[in-house]
Amino acid sequence: MRAGRPTRSDALLAIAVSCLVAAAVVTDTGPISRSVLAYAFAAGFGALMLVSRRWPVSALAATAAGLVLYYLLDLPPIGVAVPVAAALYAAADHGRPFAAAGIAAVLLLVSVTARLAEGDDLTYVVGLALGSDAVLMLAVIALGDATRSRRALRAQMARQAAAAAEERRREAAREVDTERIRIARELHDTLGHTMSVITLQAAVAEEALDGGSVADVRGAVTTIGTAARSAMSELRATLGTWLGGPGTREPPPGLDRLRDLADGVIRSGLPVDLHLTGDVSAVPTVVGTTAYRVVQEALTNALRHADANRVTVSVRASATGLALEVADDGHGAPADQPAEHGHGLRGMTERIALLGGSVHVGNLEGGGFHVQAHLPVGRAAR
């Protein structure tokens, strides 16, 4: 509906105003022409209500002016407050209560002055007529302003509710995105290393079939099976954590499984020197799991990309933190490629940052690539 267009309630209000004024005219016993003109004014007062939505103050001013003209023509008495009550309400309802109060005050002043000039009793005019008209006018102005305030409050509450719903929707979307990234990272960490081992061992088995020994083939197939079973175990643990089903949860991999991780890489043809110092059993689970994933990602990269002959893994646990270093003797990362390139290294950095730790990756001066990380044990434990 267009702004300012008359509504059904405006039409009903127009009819009510016309009927109330006409009801007051009915009591007149003067000439018929005098009554007909009074009824015309009654219809005019009602018609002004149809434009009060678009021009509330103008409609009120026109009603007040019409009422003054009505009495100047010596038409039947219809009161002062009743003909303008609806117009006063409309003006206040549309946010113009002070304009409505000002016009009402002027109209009351004109009415009192005219009555006193005609010789009406001062006590009656000021004490009764003025008081009743003023109370009625103030009441409809207050009602209109209260209606507007309630409507504005409801609109504000609706906007706030809509804003809150939109914020909840955005927060839910952010949580979904975060969870999707976390799932992708877990799957990358779980499957990336295993698939690298399987790919290398499959190549070993293929070469062995072309002239190698049966023991080489059997060793490659055994390593593939071990890697696949390890991946399935980690996948079950990951899915058990997400789904929360009974009997599906397994402990996440931690520092106690670093030896198995290193052995798998060794079976793939890349020697790994693993050094554990300090009481690694006292490291909190979340720190141990993060450390395992960091070492796993570093070994995967060395296995797939570094063309290295040896990898050294050092893990040092202390009362305040866990220090990790993984270094290989391969060719390192390309000079034109950022050291943090790739999903795995970015995921590694994000994991460590969540625990308040730090990480540094880059090429070694004499060749090779290294990953250094520090994880604060105290903060994670809390």
Side-chain angles (χ1 to χ4, degrees):
M1 184 178 65
R2 295 196 309 267
R5 183 176 179 179
T7 63
R8 180 178 299 179
S9 61
D10 294 332
L12 293 175
L13 186 60
I15 294 173
V17 170
S18 296
C19 291
L20 287 173
V21 176
V25 175
V26 169
T27 60
D28 181 48
T29 58
I32 295 179
S33 59
R34 185 168 176 260
S35 297
V36 170
L37 183 57
Y39 289 133
F41 268 90
F45 290 140
L48 286 172
M49 295 301 98
L50 298 177
V51 298
S52 61
R53 184 175 296 274
R54 178 172 295 183
W55 302 295
V57 177
S58 298
L60 174 58
T63 301
L67 186 60
V68 172
L69 179 60
Y70 181 92
Y71 280 108
L72 289 176
L73 295 176
D74 196 25
L75 296 176
I78 55 174
V80 175
V82 173
V84 297
L88 289 170
Y89 172 85
D93 183 47
H94 288 82
R96 304 300 297 274
F98 295 109
I103 293 176
V106 172
L107 191 59
L108 288 173
L109 180 61
V110 171
S111 174
V112 170
T113 302
R115 288 187 176 188
L116 293 177
E118 292 177 354
D120 289 350
D121 182 67
L122 176 62
T123 303
Y124 170 79
V125 172
V126 176
L128 181 60
L130 177 62
S132 60
D133 289 342
V135 169
L136 178 57
M137 289 182 175
L138 287 175
V140 295
I141 292 173
L143 178 61
D145 188 59
T147 302
R148 180 193 60 81
S149 298
R150 286 197 300 272
R151 186 169 60 249
L153 179 60
R154 287 195 298 268
Q156 181 181 4
M157 293 177 63
R159 288 192 298 269
Q160 291 176 346
E166 178 64 16
E167 181 59 28
R168 287 194 297 271
R169 186 194 66 79
R170 292 179 180 176
E171 181 62 26
R174 285 193 293 268
E175 291 178 358
V176 170
D177 290 341
T178 301
E179 184 66 11
R180 184 168 61 245
I181 293 173
R182 189 178 72 85
I183 292 173
R185 184 186 299 127
E186 289 289 340
L187 291 177
H188 175 276
D189 292 341
T190 301
L191 298 179
H193 177 78
T194 302
M195 295 308 298
S196 297
V197 172
I198 289 175
T199 300
L200 289 174
Q201 291 300 321
V204 171
E206 185 178 5
E207 291 178 0
L209 288 175
D210 292 335
S213 65
V214 175
D216 291 337
V217 176
R218 182 177 291 110
V221 172
T222 300
T223 302
I224 290 174
T226 301
R229 285 190 295 273
S230 176
M232 288 300 298
S233 176
E234 289 194 35
L235 281 177
R236 282 195 297 269
T238 302
L239 292 175
T241 300
W242 293 339
L243 301 178
T248 60
R249 296 188 179 183
E250 296 182 19
L255 296 177
D256 57 330
R257 292 180 57 180
L258 283 181
R259 174 55 61 186
D260 295 337
L261 180 64
D263 290 343
V265 176
I266 293 172
R267 286 193 297 270
S268 298
L270 179 60
V272 178
D273 296 329
L274 177 62
H275 305 284
L276 300 176
T277 58
D279 186 7
V280 295
S281 62
V283 175
T285 301
V286 64
V287 176
T289 299
T290 300
Y292 177 91
R293 293 303 188 192
V294 170
V295 174
Q296 183 184 52
E297 178 61 27
L299 291 177
T300 300
N301 289 337
L303 195 62
R304 295 174 58 186
H305 309 300
D307 192 22
N309 296 315
R310 182 170 294 276
V311 180
T312 302
V313 178
S314 300
V315 179
R316 185 174 66 257
S318 66
T320 59
L322 187 70
L324 306 174
E325 183 174 4
V326 181
D328 63 64
D329 59 358
H331 52 63
D336 59 346
Q337 176 179 296
E340 295 81 6
H341 178 77
H343 296 291
L345 292 178
R346 283 200 301 270
M348 176 195 304
T349 303
E350 291 171 1
R351 284 179 180 275
I352 294 173
L354 285 175
L355 297 181
S358 60
V359 62
H360 174 73
V361 298
N363 293 330
L364 295 171
E365 289 187 3
F369 192 82
H370 77 136
V371 176
Q372 288 182 321
H374 180 269
L375 297 170
V377 172
R379 175 175 177 177
R382 289 193 296 270

